[in-house]
Amino acid sequence: MNSVYHIFVRRLSTQQKHYKLVIIGAGCGGLACASKFAKKLSKDQIAIIDKNDTHVYQPGWTLAGAGLKTPDELEKPQSQCIPTNTTWIQSNANQIEPEKNFVQLENGSKISYDYLIVASGIQTRLDKIKGAIEALDNHPQHVVSMYSRKYVRNVYNTLNHFRGGQAIFTFPSTPIKCPGAPQKIMYLADDIFRRNNVRDKTTISYNTALPVIFGVKKYAAALMEIVKAKNIQLNTRLNLVEVCADKKEAIFENLDQPGTMKTFKYDLLHIAAPMTPYEFLAKSSLADANGFVDVIKETLQHKKFSNVFAIGDCTNLPTSKTAAAIAASNSILVRNLTNIMEGKSDAVPKYDGYTSCPLVTGFNKCILAEFDFDGQPLETLPINQAKERFLSYIMKKDMMPNLYWNMLIRGTWNGPAVFRKLFHLGMSK
Ligand SMILES: Cc1cc2nc3c(=O)[nH]c(=O)nc-3n(C[C@H](O)[C@H](O)[C@H](O)COP(=O)(O)OP(=O)(O)OC[C@H]3O[C@@H](n4cnc5c(N)ncnc54)[C@H](O)[C@@H]3O)c2cc1C
């Protein structure tokens, strides 16, 4: 009887660990915040929940798709990325009870917290397109997607061996991470086809669910010129719903006439995956009607639960889902949450929605789009960034990966606002 009692007590204590701060997700946003808090709290005060043992630099997938990086050089063991001064709980969270301040893990155990940061990203859902996974698995010489750790490995090989025909690049009807990426890979493919002397035997189409090529007018205008110069066909308001790999047909719904389908023949199809919030979040009371964490956009604090914050792709922040947005917002989150933890009311700048999309438009060329919540350009450099530039390309290809690994996830990169101020101050003198 005595030993049963002790087992029960031991179980309770292992099943209900408590931390001052719990972070769900050790991706870009989770680690940026964890690294900052690791300097303020002790290892037994801060826990990071994430099952994945590999950390992937996802912005590099576009470059890997074009053979400019290898998928392997975009990955590191998670154990090398998690700050040492934190406790890593290697599991998935499968339930959040913000009313009771606990997170439940897959094995049923509960982790309670004083403060919570949600940073679990967004789910890639190739399964939402009928036949897409079957096509990617069984017809890799015709159907590719860089929006997946598994399938990105095949993209460059297929693009490089393409010998001409109809090439279609898609953009889905859901929010996605880095909305510029589906066209970046298209421009790089265009250059690969030219290099391999098959461009004149190839028709390239960009079939996008959006009504425009890009959401920010200044960059959209520049991209329209590029699309024209490259002889790319832009088809708007088309959402890929089915792939019939045997017939090499892609079926799109016309979003202006719901229920009306249009079939395109293809020889090469690049699929940008639809994405959805994770179910465990969507069903929690942290979520808005679309399943994203409902935060105050200037502070990243939850609208209802004041001890909960969220960052990155899992949030309903009305800006593009990018690592750049995390860079610009993580210090704001950390300062706001620190104020709450310490009962202070120190002034904290408001997040302006800064996000960035380095739109690689070919080998050695890039438009560096930077903008805010209102879709207004917020450019760092004192030059017109809508122009294709080698400098922007080098920043995307070589500088940004280094910034990510050595500064952003280490909690020491807060975005380029400081340089923007410096450059613009210099100009106004
Ligand atoms: C092809 C591509 C190109 C891109 N290009 C750019 C670019 O050029 N510039 C740019 O700034 N951004 C780019 N991005 C976007 C950028 O990678 C993401 O916006 C960024 O990684 C989001 O960070 P996050 O922390 O929100 O999510 P993630 O980095 O995806 O991390 C989420 C973490 O949460 C974990 N997790 C998920 N579910 C659970 C759970 N139930 N319990 C615990 N943990 C969980 C995951 O394992 C993961 O580690 C690109 C993305 C892609 C895919």
Side-chain angles (χ1 to χ4, degrees), residues 27-29 49-50 52 58 93 120 178 184 280 313 322-324 326 396:
C28 172
I49 303 170
D50 198 318
N52 253 327
Q58 299 169 55
S120 51
C178 195
K184 296 183 207 176
F280 83 99
D313 295 355
T322 64
I326 290 170
K396 159 74 185 163

